[in-house]
Each structure stands twice: as structure tokens, then as C-alpha cells.
């Protein structure tokens, strides 16, 4: 069962890499600022470095911070299998989605089915972040675009 978990985890990692490489490099590639292979060559080491050095807090929270008791290996197989399948499906259908939301709610579903208990406070905190993040991105997008528009205007007037 552990070998199946490792295989599914590798598949899920591949699926997440495909999903987020498209999300991060989709616009530069569509604008012809970067070729597909250049984007992939750039994303592969950066994804590896990010996973190696910057993902531990997320790993702890999702891996053991969402449930009252640990999930068994077979339950973890279901979690990762569901997350892998849905991420792959949405990527294949070219539907933007959040892989972390898929993973978190796969954990919640398995925990509820297994009677492992869910730490609803943690889920609530994550939901609040997920609610605020798009609003913050929208606001920053407006503010930074207007600020950058002023910089070329000032440079043009001075030049």
C-alpha cells in the first residue's frame, strides 16, 4: 500500500507541475515572450527548489494539521488518488482550479468517512485566506497597474 501511495504522490506532483507551469507561464507563452520549452526548463528547477525549501509549513498543515487523528496509509492513498485524479482532469479540460483546495477537501472527505475528526478551525482559517486572496490580488492589480502607468507617463513627460 505504501508503494501505491508513493506512485500516486509522484503522479500528483507531476499533475501539479503541469497545472502550475501552465498557470505561471501561460500568459508569457501566449504573448510569445517565452517558448514552451524555455518555460518548462525555467519552471522545472524552480518548482523543485520551491518544493524542497519552501513547502514545509504547507506540508505540515495539510499532512497532519487538518485532522484530529492520523490517517492510515490506505486513507492517504484515497486522498492523494482523488487529488491526483481531479487535478489531472481539470488540467486536461483546461479548467483553472486550486490544487490545494482539492487536496484539503479530499483530506476532509476521507477524515469524515473514516471518523478521524476534522479540525474545523483550521479549515475555517484556510477558507478565510482563500476568500481574501482573490480580493487582495484584485486590489493589488488595480493599484500596481495605476502606479506603473504613472511611471511611464512621468518618464514620457520628462523625456
Amino acid at each position: 500500500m505504501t508503494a501505491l501511495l508513493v506512485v500516486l504522490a509522484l503522479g500528483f506532483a507531476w499533475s501539479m507541475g503541469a497545472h502550475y507551469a501552465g498557470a505561471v507561464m501561460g500568459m508569457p507563452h501566449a504573448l510569445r515572450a517565452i517558448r514552451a520549452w524555455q518555460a518548462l526548463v525555467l519552471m522545472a528547477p524552480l518548482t523543485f527548489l520551491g518544493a524542497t525549501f519552501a513547502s514545509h509549513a504547507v506540508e505540515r498543515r495539510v499532512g497532519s494539521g487538518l485532522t484530529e487523528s492520523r490517517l492510515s496509509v490506505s486513507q492517504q492513498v484515497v486522498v492523494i488518488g482523488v487529488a491526483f485524479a481531479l487535478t489531472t482532469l481539470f488540467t486536461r479540460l483546461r479548467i483553472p482550479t486550486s490544487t490545494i483546495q482539492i487536496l484539503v477537501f479530499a483530506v476532509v472527505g476521507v477524515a469524515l468517512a473514516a471518523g478521524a475528526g476534522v479540525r474545523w478551525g483550521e479549515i475555517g482559517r484556510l477558507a478565510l485566506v482563500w476568500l481574501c486572496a482573490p480580493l487582495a490580488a484584485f486590489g493589488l492589480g488595480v493599484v500596481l497597474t495605476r502606479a506603473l502607468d504613472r511611471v511611464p507617463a512621468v518618464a514620457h513627460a520628462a523625456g
Side-chain angles (χ1 to χ4, degrees):
M1 193 61 72
T2 301
L4 177 58
L5 180 59
V6 169
V7 168
L8 287 172
L10 290 172
F12 184 40
W14 169 84
S15 184
M16 285 180 70
H19 183 80
Y20 285 113
V24 171
M25 288 296 179
M27 188 176 295
H29 177 66
L31 294 172
R32 293 181 170 62
I34 191 167
R35 292 188 188 110
W37 278 106
Q38 290 171 322
L40 292 173
V41 167
L42 180 64
M43 288 297 299
L46 293 175
T47 301
F48 180 78
L49 289 170
T52 302
F53 297 111
S55 67
H56 300 296
V58 172
E59 179 185 319
R60 275 191 302 279
R61 174 163 290 167
V62 175
S64 61
L66 301 177
T67 59
E68 295 295 336
S69 60
R70 294 184 67 81
L71 299 178
S72 69
V73 173
S74 62
Q75 292 162 345
Q76 292 173 35
V77 164
V78 174
V79 168
I80 299 301
V82 166
F84 172 38
L86 287 176
T87 300
T88 302
L89 175 68
F90 287 129
T91 301
R92 186 90 172 138
L93 296 175
R94 298 181 179 162
I95 299 171
T97 189
S98 169
T99 59
I100 194 64
Q101 289 175 0
I102 290 171
L103 181 60
V104 164
F105 284 101
V107 169
V108 170
V110 169
L112 288 174
V118 175
R119 292 184 177 156
W120 291 108
E122 286 296 314
I123 302 300
R125 283 186 277 287
L126 289 173
L128 183 62
V129 170
W130 294 334
L131 178 67
C132 293
L135 299 173
F138 170 77
L140 286 170
V142 169
V143 169
L144 293 175
T145 298
R146 288 186 177 161
L148 288 175
D149 285 348
R150 285 192 180 107
V151 169
V154 169
H156 181 70

